């Protein structure tokens, strides 16, 4: 390890599987689904009536007065970030705020606030619109609130790269620390857009599963019966820290963020390149950045969203960039697709897979696609010694991010 290496010293999450990292990880290892029916009256008119809804509502964690000032995506970002901060042991450590940065994004941002306030405007007029509307709908809101809460003064950065957002936030954090601009970065992603308009929009694209009668079986990456992704909500946060800084304070280190690769397809606004050319380049760059070869990667947490087109293209990409040896999985089979938060949550799962020497399962893989020629940890968690693992995130617009984590 070099003194300039970047390590993970704190984890936080609130997801459809649990209100924190421990409960979420336990659910993943047990192969439990967090996808449930939508019971709101507005859902009755939709063709998609299922989602990965939060296991713990943020109003149970944040007081009512503060919740009125926060979009749901901001609230859960704060919850995850505060968990990660507490987990890192940095609270009360005397860290110089000018050496602390935030890198946190959302794929869609405060859309629910925007839509709800528009309803109020139409029904009751402009005087009834909340004075908190703009800070609640700002896409940089989650990052800004985290920066204010932690008094981070080395920079607060926000990105919006669709479903690659959370991973791109981690990649930027890696660059910030490597360049010497900060010693510690709180990084991750958040999303909370379970609302009729986003659901109807995705459904109109035929991108989402309509398996409403069996919600727990709807997300089924690589299965012949897959019919689209399942929207989820949640947030994942990681504390990244310069290695020598972490060692000097006696921090518990989960893993090393060893490398990152970012590319773009230049292909289509929603369709992935069927040959995964951009994904292959991202994976290759991440492996090279980590100073490794494909043979070193024992496990891949795949982007695999349970769509007919995307899943198999990624299989081609993993085989080309990494090889046919890694054990792969898609934890979206359990959590649903957290959009801008997906990369952060799945990075946490990748890190814990390294720590615990186990690959979480891909559930619902009952009838594998005939083209699936890689080893998937199907149905049950798989014990596996993992020195290095990769997490993939791809997003609408052709965003590709691959991250490589290693044991310390």
């Amino acid at each position: 390890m070099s003194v300039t290496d970047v390590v993970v010293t704190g984890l936080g999450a609130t997801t459809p599987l649990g209100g924190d990292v421990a409960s979420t990880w336990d659910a993943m290892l047990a192969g439990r689904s967090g996808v449930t029916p939508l019971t709101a009256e507005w859902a009755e008119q939709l063709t998609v009536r299922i989602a990965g809804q939060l296991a713990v509502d943020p109003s149970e964690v944040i007081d009512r007065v503060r919740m009125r000032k926060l979009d749901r995506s901001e609230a859960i970002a704060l919850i995850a970030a505060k968990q990660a901060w507490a987990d890192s042991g940095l609270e009360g450590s005397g860290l110089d705020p000018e050496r602390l940065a935030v890198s946190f994004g959302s794929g869609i941002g405060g859309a629910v606030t925007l839509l709800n306030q528009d309803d109020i405007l139409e029904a009751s007029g402009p005087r009834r619109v909340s004075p908190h509307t703009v800070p609640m709908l700002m896409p940089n809101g989650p990052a800004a609130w985290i920066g204010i809460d932690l008094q981070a003064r080395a920079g607060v950065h926000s990105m919006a790269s669709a479903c690659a957002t959370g991973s791109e936030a981690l990649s930027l954090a890696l660059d910030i620390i490597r360049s010497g601009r900060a010693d510690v970065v709180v990084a991750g992603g958040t999303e909370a857009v379970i609302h009729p308009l986003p659901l109807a929009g995705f459904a109109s694209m035929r991108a989402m599963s309509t398996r409403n009668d069996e919600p727990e079986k709807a997300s089924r990456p690589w299965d012949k019966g897959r019919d689209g992704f399942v929207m989820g909500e949640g947030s994942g946060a990681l504390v990244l820290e310069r290695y020598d800084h972490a060692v000097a304070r006696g921090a518990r280190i989960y893993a090393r963020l060893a490398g990152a690769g970012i590319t773009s397809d230049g292909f289509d606004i929603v369709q992935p390149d069927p040959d995964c050319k951009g994904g292959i380049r991202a994976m290759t760059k991440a492996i090279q950045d980590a100073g490794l070869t494909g043979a070193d990667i024992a496990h891949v947490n795949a982007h695999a969203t349970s769509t007919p087109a995307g899943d198999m293209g990624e299989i081609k990409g993993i085989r080309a960039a990494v090889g046919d040896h890694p054990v792969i999985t898609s934890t979206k089979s359990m959590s649903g697709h957290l959009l801008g938060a997906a990369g952060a949550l799945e990075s946490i799962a990748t890190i814990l897979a390294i720590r615990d020497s186990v690959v979480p399962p891909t559930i619902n893989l009952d009838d594998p696609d005939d083209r699936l020629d890689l080893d998937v940890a199907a149905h049950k968690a798989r014990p596996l010694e993992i020195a290095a693992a990769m997490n993939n995130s791809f997003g609408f617009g052709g965003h590709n991010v691959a991250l490589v984590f290693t044991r310390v």
Side-chain angles (χ1 to χ4, degrees):
M1 293 285 291
S2 164
V3 294
T4 58
D5 280 333
V6 176
V7 294
V8 181
T9 57
L11 301 174
T14 182
T15 77
L17 297 170
D20 55 20
V21 169
S23 57
T24 297
W25 183 236
D26 285 347
M28 284 184 177
L29 293 183
R32 290 201 298 272
S33 173
V35 181
T36 56
L38 292 168
T39 57
E41 186 175 338
W42 53 255
E44 295 175 5
Q45 63 181 315
L46 301 177
T47 57
V48 174
R49 297 185 296 278
I50 55 175
Q53 301 169 87
L54 287 175
V56 177
D57 193 271
S59 62
E60 297 181 27
V61 182
I62 297 177
D63 68 80
R64 183 167 54 88
V65 173
R66 195 174 194 192
M67 277 296 296
R68 284 205 296 266
K69 299 179 180 180
L70 299 170
D71 181 76
R72 189 174 176 90
S73 67
E74 295 173 334
I76 60 179
L78 265 176
I79 290 169
K82 289 169 75 71
Q83 287 179 9
W85 187 249
D87 186 48
S88 72
L90 281 161
E91 194 166 2
S93 68
L95 174 67
D96 181 354
E98 294 190 12
R99 302 299 298 166
L100 171 63
V102 175
S103 176
F104 222 93
S106 175
I108 298 177
V112 172
T113 289
L114 177 62
L115 293 164
N116 288 344
Q117 291 300 315
D118 182 64
D119 288 343
I120 291 170
L121 175 66
E122 294 294 328
S124 305
R127 292 183 181 276
R128 300 300 298 174
V129 171
S130 169
H132 305 297
T133 296
V134 173
M136 290 170 71
L137 65 82
M138 295 189 312
N140 66 311
W145 276 116
I146 293 168
I148 292 166
D149 196 81
L150 300 180
Q151 298 182 13
R153 293 173 187 158
V156 170
H157 307 273
S158 184
M159 60 291 303
S161 302
C163 306
T165 296
S167 288
E168 188 164 336
L170 293 172
S171 176
L172 176 59
L174 178 66
D175 289 344
I176 289 170
I177 296 174
R178 282 176 170 174
S179 68
R181 304 201 302 276
D183 299 320
V184 178
V185 182
V186 178
T190 186
E191 207 77 82
V193 288
I194 298 176
H195 179 281
L197 184 60
L199 285 165
F202 279 120
S204 292
M205 297 169 63
R206 298 183 180 178
M208 301 186 71
S209 173
T210 56
R211 196 182 289 253
N212 297 311
D213 296 335
E214 296 179 301
E216 71 284 354
K217 296 181 180 180
S219 184
R220 43 197 318 112
W222 303 302
D223 188 83
K224 286 181 181 177
R226 66 190 186 278
D227 65 334
F229 77 87
V230 177
M231 183 183 290
E233 60 179 350
S235 181
L238 297 83
V239 174
L240 302 184
E241 189 168 352
R242 202 178 72 243
Y243 174 66
D244 64 329
H245 188 276
V247 170
R249 69 181 185 86
R252 183 255 337 275
I253 295 173
Y254 284 101
R256 171 186 172 220
L257 176 49
I262 299 179
T263 67
S264 53
D265 286 348
F267 178 75
D268 189 86
I269 196 66
V270 293
Q271 292 294 332
D273 183 328
D275 294 321
C276 199
K277 293 175 184 175
I280 290 170
R281 288 187 287 112
M283 287 182 263
T284 300
K285 287 175 181 288
I287 293 168
Q288 291 173 343
D289 189 36
L292 302 175
T293 68
D296 297 312
I297 306 299
H299 163 52
V300 178
N301 191 310
H303 181 66
T305 63
S306 188
T307 59
D311 288 9
M312 297 317 302
E314 186 178 8
I315 292 297
K316 290 182 185 178
I318 294 170
R319 175 176 280 279
V322 183
D324 60 5
H325 62 279
V327 178
I328 66 173
T329 197
S330 173
T331 48
K332 289 184 181 74
S333 62
M334 296 170 283
S335 66
H337 189 359
L338 272 57
L339 307 180
L345 174 59
E346 288 151 25
S347 288
I348 291 171
T350 305
I351 289 163
L352 296 179
I354 293 172
R355 183 195 69 177
D356 294 347
S357 299
V358 62
V359 176
T362 298
I363 65 171
N364 300 323
L365 186 53
D366 301 325
D367 188 11
D369 192 300
D370 294 336
R371 298 164 292 172
L372 179 61
D373 56 0
L374 295 181
D375 186 6
V376 179
H379 307 300
K380 294 183 179 180
R382 173 108 46 100
L384 184 72
E385 285 298 318
I386 306 169
M390 176 183 289
N391 175 41
N392 286 338
S393 296
F394 309 140
F396 278 6
H399 302 275
N400 308 299
V401 183
L403 302 172
V404 171
F405 296 92
T406 63
R407 188 184 298 277
V408 175

